[in-house]
Amino acid sequence: MATPNTHYGVENIQLMLENCKSIFFIGIGGINMSSLAHISHLQGYRVGGSDREKTALTERLRSGGIEIYYSHDASNMEDFDAVVYTVAISQDNPEYVRALEKGIPCISRADYLGYLMLNYQNRIGVSGMHGKSTCTSMCATVFMEAGGDPTVLSGAELDAMGGAYRIGKSENFIFEACEYMDSFLDFNPSMAIILNIELDHVDYFSSIDQVCYSYSRFAAITGENGMVIANIDNEYIPQVLEGYKGKIVTFGVVTKSADYSAINIRYPNGCAEFDIMHLGEFIAHVKLSVTGEHNVYNALAAFVAAHVSGLEPEAIAKGLTKFHGAKRRMEFKGKLNGASVFDDYGHHPTEVATTLDGVRKRDDVGRLFCIFQPHTFSRTYALMDDFAQSFDAVDRVYIADIYPARETDDLGISGKTLAIRIGDKAEYAPDLDSLAREISSMLYPDDALVVMGAGNIYRIFDHFDFDEE
């Protein structure tokens, strides 16, 4: 069972850490956890942490002077004054249990992040069931290009930042606000972006009404002097914003009354080009360097956040053009037999469908192949019908075994279940080595292969013999 968020709040955490000189991070290898560990180290704390696997992130932390342990053992954190943990750990994690036994303060990742961000005046929280990491990265790129010098905490690595975080020197703090287990309710945004709302994380959210209630609470944190930037095309946004006391700024493509809207949208080679209107007046022309309609919405949200923060429209549009994607978000990996191979984090039916549709719009794509790894048994089971219809744009899809993450299989389903539901264009492929050989023999120039999933499906790239450049 996952470990819940703490919800201590800023004042209580200040008291807990008053005499703290060292912090131990349980699950330090995660994108957000590694970022927080590095920031804490820069603030002068002695920092250590544990995770199950050695990765580029953990090695980067270790080379920077942070103590890394590649197992979860109670003895790892004996000499630390406080613990920050990810809710993905179980409540019987030996380090967590030992910290509780010793009375060492244990603070959840989200609670600790909410505490850190109050050092900044303009706190932009990017929320939504899909697109958070991409939009956060877009915002980061725009602010950096326009001289906003932001501090950034994202859920995806960005080449322009050299990782998933950036330490700036301005009042701007841009962060990804994850809704899972209501983590984002511990954050303190002054400006909240809501990209979209639908049902996901069904191991926590039992209904769309519960999702909407959580998002309404997140919006309310900004207060009467705060702002919500919301996608008015989403059917659940009006429900979420009902009774909100702060300023509401809307964006959209379909809804004509949106404060900011995208019109004259074209997709030359799959990447959108469009005009942005503000209150009915032309304000900027944008050319994106990433594919798909979903990125029109991400770009609109990033544009609005930057514009209301005082950045110039021309500089914002230039920054959006310079954004070429974050790591594992349609990341180009190379050529295989002349075919283009991409890596994508998509793991919800909407993400899968919109991403693949964007690739299909590219002028240089003939046949489209996909390797998909479902993420968690609960999501795959609850959204099975939607997943089965998410691969309409592809010619062939291979379904790997379900990545369990924090779950065990008590639903009696597998990747084979989904492959059967999809139909003739799908094949169950539990062995990555065999799958790599099979698909390598099938690809030709002008084909495209998208490898998708939020688990460890990226390991298949180790089995590919990519073309030499």
Side-chain angles (χ1 to χ4, degrees):
M1 182 177 179
T3 305
N5 283 304
T6 48
H7 308 302
Y8 289 132
V10 173
E11 292 183 2
N12 286 326
I13 294 176
Q14 284 176 329
L15 292 174
M16 289 178 177
L17 301 182
E18 188 172 14
N19 298 310
C20 177
K21 295 182 180 179
S22 59
I23 303 176
F24 189 86
F25 288 78
I26 306 176
I28 197 169
I31 288 285
N32 281 162
M33 288 288 281
S34 62
S35 304
L36 292 177
H38 185 74
I39 291 173
S40 301
H41 186 60
L42 291 176
Q43 291 181 338
Y45 290 107
R46 173 192 165 214
V47 173
S50 61
D51 218 304
R52 291 177 295 181
E53 296 183 6
K54 180 185 293 188
T55 66
L57 285 175
T58 58
E59 285 298 282
R60 179 183 178 190
L61 294 175
R62 186 188 60 78
S63 64
I66 292 174
E67 303 164 38
I68 303 294
Y69 302 88
Y70 292 110
S71 64
H72 293 297
D73 190 285
S75 63
N76 291 342
M77 41 69 60
E78 288 291 336
D79 297 325
F80 287 86
D81 301 325
V83 165
V84 175
Y85 65 88
T86 169
V87 295
I89 68 167
S90 63
Q91 294 185 43
D92 61 358
N93 176 284
E95 293 154 340
Y96 179 74
V97 171
R98 183 59 175 152
L100 293 179
E101 291 173 349
K102 294 186 65 175
I104 296 173
C106 294
I107 306 166
S108 64
R109 176 197 65 85
D111 216 1
Y112 185 63
L113 173 54
Y115 159 74
L116 288 180
M117 69 177 58
L118 280 184
N119 294 320
Y120 302 84
Q121 182 176 342
N122 189 32
R123 304 178 299 277
I124 304 171
V126 183
S127 73
M129 287 304 197
H130 322 297
K132 293 184 292 291
S133 296
T134 296
C135 186
T136 301
S137 298
M138 280 185 174
C139 287
T141 303
V142 165
F143 273 76
M144 287 188 292
E145 289 292 331
D149 194 20
T151 294
V152 183
L153 244 65
S154 180
E157 296 180 68
L158 181 67
D159 285 343
M161 297 194 301
Y165 60 89
R166 178 184 191 273
I167 311 301
K169 297 180 181 179
S170 74
E171 64 184 16
N172 300 309
F173 187 96
I174 302 167
F175 63 97
E176 182 172 331
C178 179
E179 71 286 336
Y180 181 60
M181 292 185 71
D182 283 335
S183 293
F184 61 179
L185 300 185
D186 288 315
F187 301 155
N188 293 289
S190 59
M191 184 188 303
I193 295 174
I194 305 179
L195 294 169
N196 44 65
I197 294 174
E198 63 179 313
L199 185 62
D200 195 6
H201 302 301
V202 293
D203 57 330
Y204 180 75
F205 292 112
S206 60
S207 67
I208 190 64
D209 286 338
Q210 182 188 354
V211 174
C212 290
Y213 178 62
S214 291
Y215 273 87
S216 66
R217 292 172 65 195
F218 174 66
I221 295 172
T222 62
E224 294 185 5
N225 296 320
M227 178 185 296
V228 168
I229 298 170
N231 174 10
I232 198 62
D233 288 349
N234 183 272
E235 62 179 307
Y236 299 109
I237 292 294
Q239 176 183 341
V240 166
L241 296 183
E242 186 175 351
Y244 174 69
K245 303 298 184 182
K247 183 177 182 179
I248 298 173
V249 180
T250 60
F251 65 91
V253 174
V254 178
T255 307
K256 303 302 182 184
S257 60
D259 297 316
Y260 291 79
S261 59
I263 65 170
N264 303 324
I265 304 173
R266 300 186 301 111
Y267 293 93
N269 201 28
C271 299
E273 181 176 344
F274 53 92
D275 295 324
I276 294 182
M277 308 294 286
H278 177 220
L279 301 178
E281 299 291 331
F282 172 83
I283 190 172
H285 182 74
V286 172
K287 293 182 179 180
L288 297 183
S289 302
V290 288
T291 60
E293 181 184 29
H294 57 295
N295 277 318
V296 175
Y297 284 95
N298 291 333
L300 271 174
F303 186 98
V304 177
H307 193 226
V308 299
S309 296
L311 301 185
E312 292 297 322
E314 295 81 3
I316 302 171
K318 181 179 179 181
L320 288 172
T321 299
K322 288 194 173 184
F323 175 74
H324 291 273
K327 188 171 184 179
R328 298 214 65 210
R329 273 66 180 178
M330 279 304 294
E331 178 187 5
F332 177 69
K333 300 297 292 185
K335 294 280 189 175
L336 187 62
N337 296 340
S340 297
V341 180
F342 301 91
D343 181 20
D344 191 77
Y345 194 74
H347 55 284
H348 183 279
T350 300
E351 296 168 345
V352 172
T354 55
T355 297
L356 293 175
D357 183 66
V359 180
R360 175 54 74 193
K361 286 186 170 73
R362 291 173 59 118
D363 299 332
D364 58 349
V365 171
R367 296 183 303 169
L368 176 57
F369 295 83
C370 178
I371 297 173
F372 178 66
Q373 181 187 52
H375 188 268
T376 72
F377 298 101
S378 59
R379 176 186 286 116
T380 308
Y381 180 81
L383 305 178
M384 181 70 71
D385 290 342
D386 293 327
F387 273 120
Q389 300 175 41
S390 297
F391 299 93
D392 290 349
V394 307
D395 295 285
R396 188 73 175 162
V397 57
Y398 298 86
I399 306 297
D401 272 326
I402 296 171
Y403 185 79
R406 53 195 171 265
E407 298 181 346
T408 56
D409 181 14
D410 55 4
L411 294 170
I413 61 171
S414 68
K416 185 175 182 179
T417 312
L418 176 56
I420 293 172
R421 186 68 65 88
I422 294 170
D424 292 341
K425 68 165 61 178
E427 179 180 331
Y428 174 50
D431 181 69
L432 294 188
D433 186 45
S434 298
L435 174 57
R437 288 196 300 271
E438 177 179 346
I439 202 160
S440 295
S441 68
M442 297 179 62
L443 293 176
Y444 292 96
D446 297 330
D447 289 342
L449 169 64
V450 181
V451 178
M452 305 187 81
N456 59 2
I457 191 62
Y458 58 84
R459 290 179 175 174
I460 197 171
F461 297 122
D462 294 334
H463 298 270
F464 288 154
D465 185 16
F466 286 104
D467 303 344
E468 294 186 8
E469 296 182 1

